[in-house]
Amino acid sequence: MGYSDKIRGTYQAQLKGIQDAGLFKQERFIHSPQAADIEVEFPAGAPLKKVINMCANNYLGLSSHPEVIKAAHEGLETRGYGMSSVRFICGTQDIHRELEQKMTAFLGTEDTLLFPSCMDANAGVFEAILTKDDVIISDRLVHASLVDGIRLCSAMHDTIKHSDMEHLEEKLQLHADKRFKLVVTDGVFSMDGDTAKLDEMVRICEKYDAMVLVDDSHSSGFIGKTGRGTHEKCGVVGKIDVITTTFGKALGGASGGCVSGRRELVEMCRQRARPYLFSNTIAPVVVSGVLKVMDIISKSTERRDKLERNAAYWRKGLTEAGFVLKEGDTPIVPVMLFNAKLAQDVSQSLYDEGIYAIGFFFPVVPQSQARIRTQISAGHEIHHLEQALAAFTKVGKKFDILGKTKQEIIAKYGM
Amino acid sequence: MADELKDMVLNYVTKEYLEDDSEPLTYDTPLISGGIVDSFSMVSLKRFLENKYAISIPDEEATPEAFDSVNKIVALVQRFAAKKA
């Protein structure tokens, strides 16, 4: 037998190690469409429980929107289920190109190429446009998919301290001899909810002839006055050389992503990016849904405006209740607990109170930075937020963390 | 040269990689295996040393082990500086 007892035992020991370290991930089965109100089976086999979802990337509340579902049905009827081919053989439909053109117009770029996911976009973009003569300088808190993409590329890789623009300038000077320099950042950082300083970054990069790549997955559709993303918020539309983003969060939440930016860079991806070349693209049914999403958000800013109001209400409520929050103004509102076990215990107590919010701890966030990451949606109504605030306050009292500083929480629960 | 080099590397690593509230480093603190410096970020330290001492450290010598503490880095730099001399 190829899969010997020795091999099985090795993996069993590794899995036990993950469990013993308290890092074992368990899925919770949701029996309803993605929304503010969901029905959850947790743990497996337990009766269904109705809870308020406070941890989805469903920022605009469009994941189960009736118009999006209707458009997806129509797409299924008119364009079929699957393509059974990669894009460049016989896997490109008119609607794929239509979505690329809509994204180009929405993001204010020169061209766009779809990928099966933003993870794939990030995995493919770097090796398609850079060589060993180039350098990539990335923020130390960028998303794991960017790190993986950078690893697949032969360019030199260096990092800067989180959002430290002085450090960026030093690094651009250090690597001045490289052919091309590409600076890489998240638009909104997924764990902290803060926004990259794109205005400053663009100014510095122009000075040193460096390109800028932004992953705007946690921004596209709702950050900026008309929801174009962090480049709109920071006043640098047209100045970001590459934007990667996802359709798996605010933009319908199903799947898929894209690389959008300078015409030549996008074309290089079409010629060379391996996830584009060797994998089917987004299924027609999903493309049809995303096209409807783009119509909805291009016609009106109502949903992103509601999201902004909801996020401000939530942040104010948690602050007044006495929680320690990460500063920011996005719908990602991290409630800091610092201790990993405390984060898990608070998450469980919230669940008991009907609130679904997950604890994050090392290695997903740095040591001693454990937290509950809450994410607000335009699908939340004020009564959802009121109920969630009441539950957070009750649980906060139970663990005696309200009004306590970081130092006091660490003194009580440890790092 | 050794003491001056040691302090210079220690200061550089502290400024480059540590957050303000971090524990201070010693010459033997494990940098990469201790999770203080990730192997990507080693690049800037390597380039800084190469520029400063006009040496070239080949990639096969610039291993995570060779960069794992201030003392190890100093030994590496001295070896290549001696070769150059």
Side-chain angles (χ1 to χ4, degrees):
Chain A
M1 189 171 57
Y3 194 64
S4 65
D5 288 348
K6 183 184 164 196
I7 297 173
R8 187 185 293 277
T10 303
Y11 287 116
Q12 285 175 341
Q14 275 184 21
L15 289 166
K16 186 170 181 306
I18 296 170
Q19 271 175 325
D20 292 347
L23 302 173
F24 199 79
K25 290 172 192 65
Q26 271 185 302
E27 292 165 346
R28 302 184 184 195
F29 305 133
I30 300 174
H31 289 244
S32 54
Q34 186 62 278
D37 295 297
I38 51 173
E39 286 188 82
V40 181
E41 173 194 340
F42 180 74
L48 296 190
K49 185 175 169 75
K50 287 187 179 178
V51 294
I52 296 173
N53 194 350
M54 299 298 289
C55 57
N57 298 316
N58 184 18
Y59 296 112
L60 292 172
L62 290 170
S63 302
S64 306
H65 191 282
E67 282 185 51
V68 177
I69 293 171
K70 184 165 172 273
H73 274 294
E74 286 167 5
L76 189 60
E77 293 296 331
T78 60
R79 296 295 190 288
Y81 173 69
M83 291 308 299
S84 301
S85 170
V86 299
R87 283 283 296 269
F88 74 94
I89 298 178
C90 56
T92 302
Q93 286 179 328
D94 57 335
I95 54 171
H96 290 111
R97 194 59 196 147
E98 187 186 342
L99 179 56
E100 287 173 342
Q101 285 163 348
K102 280 205 172 168
M103 288 309 291
T104 302
F106 183 75
L107 297 173
T109 53
E110 295 175 8
D111 200 1
T112 300
L113 183 66
L114 302 180
F115 280 77
S117 68
C118 190
M119 176 99 198
D120 284 321
N122 288 341
V125 63
F126 297 102
E127 66 166 353
I129 64 173
L130 298 176
T131 71
K132 62 178 175 46
D133 299 326
D134 307 320
V135 65
I136 299 165
I137 302 171
S138 66
D139 189 288
R140 286 190 188 149
L141 292 189
V142 294
H143 190 260
S145 59
L146 289 169
V147 174
D148 287 358
I150 293 167
R151 280 186 174 139
L152 291 169
C153 170
S154 58
M156 178 179 278
H157 181 208
D158 201 352
T159 58
I160 58 162
K161 290 183 183 180
H162 180 49
S163 277
D164 187 332
M165 294 300 109
E166 258 180 59
H167 205 200
L168 172 62
E169 195 154 2
E170 284 171 25
K171 290 301 175 82
L172 287 168
Q173 288 165 357
L174 177 69
H175 299 297
D177 58 331
K178 288 289 174 182
R179 185 189 68 145
F180 294 147
K181 299 172 282 292
L182 175 65
V183 174
V184 176
T185 184
D186 288 7
V188 166
F189 288 85
S190 58
M191 283 298 146
D192 287 8
D194 58 328
T195 309
K197 297 169 185 162
L198 290 187
D199 43 355
E200 246 184 285
M201 186 176 279
V202 164
R203 186 179 53 73
I204 294 168
C205 287
E206 282 176 347
K207 185 173 162 190
Y208 291 93
D209 280 337
M211 298 184 284
V212 180
L213 181 149
V214 179
D215 180 334
D216 237 359
S217 291
H218 285 276
S219 323
S220 294
F222 58 96
I223 296 289
K225 268 195 163 35
T226 62
R228 263 63 178 171
T230 48
H231 58 322
E232 183 184 28
K233 180 179 180 176
C234 298
V236 289
V237 172
K239 294 189 172 181
I240 304 299
D241 303 293
V242 182
I243 296 171
T244 64
T245 192
T246 182
F247 305 116
K249 295 184 168 57
L251 304 181
S255 66
C258 65
V259 168
S260 192
R262 304 294 179 200
R263 190 169 296 109
E264 300 75 18
L265 302 181
V266 172
E267 194 53 43
M268 286 300 286
C269 288
R270 199 186 300 278
Q271 302 306 317
R272 290 201 178 151
R274 294 170 71 84
Y276 164 85
L277 292 172
F278 298 111
S279 175
N280 286 10
T281 192
I282 312 170
V285 59
V286 175
V287 174
S288 304
V290 181
L291 282 169
K292 178 52 73 177
V293 167
M294 298 315 295
D295 278 351
I296 293 171
I297 65 173
S298 297
K299 275 184 199 149
S300 162
T301 59
E302 194 184 326
R303 300 190 85 83
R304 60 84 53 208
D305 296 344
K306 183 180 175 192
L307 172 62
E308 197 168 68
R309 288 194 302 275
N310 279 355
Y313 178 90
W314 178 245
R315 184 173 278 279
K316 184 167 176 280
L318 286 177
T319 304
E320 285 173 0
F323 287 99
V324 179
L325 307 181
K326 277 266 179 192
E327 279 182 30
D329 60 354
T330 70
I332 299 174
V333 185
V335 179
M336 300 306 294
L337 298 166
F338 310 103
N339 176 281
K341 183 167 187 310
L342 177 63
Q344 291 174 84
D345 291 347
V346 168
S347 171
Q348 182 58 51
S349 293
L350 286 168
Y351 189 74
D352 296 341
E353 297 295 325
I355 304 299
Y356 189 166
I358 297 292
F360 290 88
F361 39 88
F362 185 79
V364 180
V365 295
Q367 290 276 20
S368 313
Q369 291 279 309
R371 66 195 67 182
I372 302 272
R373 181 181 68 170
T374 59
Q375 290 170 283
I376 301 306
S377 168
H380 286 129
E381 302 300 336
I382 289 299
H383 71 84
H384 291 120
L385 302 179
E386 282 173 348
Q387 198 179 323
L389 271 178
F392 265 83
T393 305
K394 184 174 173 186
V395 172
K397 277 183 190 156
K398 175 180 161 188
F399 288 93
D400 192 24
I401 51 174
L402 297 183
K404 297 277 192 292
T405 62
K406 171 184 175 180
Q407 289 72 21
E408 287 168 335
I409 295 172
I410 289 173
K412 191 173 172 68
Y413 289 97
M415 295 279 269
Chain B
M1 175 192 175
D3 285 347
E4 187 194 329
L5 176 59
K6 265 165 103 166
D7 287 336
M8 204 261 304
V9 172
L10 186 85
N11 289 339
Y12 181 87
V13 171
T14 301
K15 181 170 166 283
E16 171 72 22
Y17 303 111
L18 262 58
E19 299 300 329
D20 294 341
D21 57 352
S22 306
E23 290 278 305
L25 290 179
T26 69
Y27 297 125
D28 289 312
T29 305
L31 299 175
I32 294 170
S33 62
I36 294 168
V37 180
D38 69 50
S39 49
F40 278 149
S41 306
M42 221 172 70
V43 163
S44 50
L45 176 57
K46 177 175 177 284
R47 294 211 90 194
F48 170 76
L49 294 169
E50 286 177 332
N51 291 346
K52 178 98 184 165
Y53 291 97
I55 55 174
S56 174
I57 305 171
D59 286 347
E60 60 271 21
E61 298 267 2
T63 60
E65 293 76 29
F67 275 78
D68 206 28
S69 71
V70 171
N71 275 335
K72 287 180 181 172
I73 295 165
V74 167
L76 186 75
V77 171
Q78 284 179 325
R79 190 150 63 81
F80 281 93
K83 270 190 194 172
K84 194 184 75 170

